[in-house]
Amino acid sequence: MARNTEKTPKKPKEPGRLKQMWSVFKMTRRYDSHAVWIMALGFALPVIVGVVLALVLAGGNVFGMVMWILAGVLAGLLAALIILGRRAERAAYKQIEGQPGAVGAVLRSSLRRSWTGSEMPIAVNGKTQDAVYRAVGRGGVVLIGEGSKTRTTKMQEDERRKVLRILPNVPVTFINVGPDAGTVPLHRVPRTLAKIKPTLTKPEVLAVSNRLTSLSSSPLPIPKGIDPMRMRPQRGR
């Protein structure tokens, strides 16, 4: 029998951790001009504190001074990485801000454990692409409008009436994400939800979520939201 001379194609190697971090850094720097300076400040402050503590507390002990300075450097690296992660997330949201499905991406990837939300909207205007999303948590039911506030408010009111019809004692809050003044920036949606005063217990949240599932009809024929955590910077040609 003739041997099969064709070689099995090798799977492309995934980039290493350092290469991924460098790609994230370049993407963040491209969309956030202040990120580098804020990261540098976040690194420098712990190092300075470490040096000061080494001079004050080490008492001339070389080993003690080295340990304090090393601790300051490690703390500075940790602070810089935390800052990079937050600024990168904001830069990723900045790329998709204003696009249909952006709120759904936030609800899928960035909500805290006390809140649940679907990446699919519960109401959509086919002509304008305005949409309303729903989140449920300790603060009750939140209807998030995506698009012009003047247009999405009517859609939110319609959805609130549906909620109050089956859950009359559950608070319903409006949040608007869009180009109008006074709306919530896309990257602040999770923080805005976290600030809502808790009024429900965990079992009540589950019960409310189950009741609201009955309001859902057939899936809306629109694409799913964008996942900002999967976005990668474009490679140079």
Side-chain angles (χ1 to χ4, degrees):
M1 292 178 66
R3 293 182 180 179
N4 186 6
T5 57
E6 294 183 1
K7 294 182 178 179
T8 304
K10 294 182 178 179
K11 292 183 179 180
K13 257 189 177 180
E14 292 187 1
R17 183 63 57 87
L18 291 178
K19 194 171 183 180
Q20 289 178 356
M21 291 176 61
W22 177 245
S23 298
V24 170
F25 173 76
K26 290 193 296 184
M27 183 272 292
T28 305
R29 183 178 58 182
R30 185 183 303 126
Y31 292 96
D32 187 351
S33 58
H34 302 293
V36 177
W37 297 106
I38 296 175
M39 288 178 61
L41 183 62
F43 173 77
L45 286 178
V47 174
I48 293 173
V49 172
V51 172
V52 171
L53 291 176
L55 296 174
V56 174
L57 301 178
N61 187 325
V62 177
F63 179 76
M65 293 180 67
V66 171
M67 293 303 295
W68 277 113
I69 295 174
L70 182 61
V73 171
L74 293 176
L77 287 173
L78 179 61
L81 290 176
I82 291 174
I83 293 171
L84 174 61
R86 292 182 177 179
R87 306 295 291 197
E89 185 179 27
R90 181 177 298 187
Y93 286 151
K94 190 174 182 180
Q95 294 180 63
I96 64 173
E97 194 166 14
Q99 297 183 24
V103 170
V106 176
L107 295 182
R108 180 175 62 176
S109 61
S110 300
L111 286 188
R112 297 184 179 181
R113 293 181 180 179
S114 57
W115 287 90
T116 59
S118 172
E119 63 178 318
M120 299 300 294
I122 58 174
V124 176
N125 186 322
K127 294 182 179 179
T128 62
Q129 295 298 308
D130 296 328
V132 175
Y133 296 80
R134 184 173 61 219
V136 181
R138 296 286 306 279
V141 177
V142 178
L143 300 175
I144 307 170
E146 180 183 73
S148 172
K149 186 176 181 179
T150 54
R151 295 193 299 262
T152 56
T153 299
K154 184 180 183 301
M155 298 169 63
Q156 288 171 306
E157 291 288 355
D158 292 340
E159 294 302 321
R160 175 161 63 179
R161 282 192 289 269
K162 295 178 184 178
V163 172
L164 295 179
R165 193 177 303 136
I166 61 173
L167 298 166
N169 297 322
V170 175
V172 179
T173 306
F174 288 177
I175 292 178
N176 292 92
V177 178
D180 304 305
T183 56
V184 178
L186 185 64
H187 68 275
R188 289 187 177 272
V189 169
R191 190 179 304 179
T192 304
L193 290 174
K195 290 182 179 179
I196 298 176
K197 183 179 178 181
T199 56
L200 303 177
T201 63
K202 289 183 179 180
E204 287 174 339
V205 171
L206 181 60
V208 168
S209 181
N210 291 335
R211 289 292 302 274
L212 289 176
T213 303
S214 63
L215 287 177
S216 303
S217 55
S218 58
L220 294 172
I222 62 171
K224 293 183 178 181
I226 308 163
D227 189 348
M229 304 310 296
R230 293 183 182 176
M231 297 184 66
R232 294 185 179 180
Q234 297 181 352
R235 295 181 179 179
R237 295 181 179 177

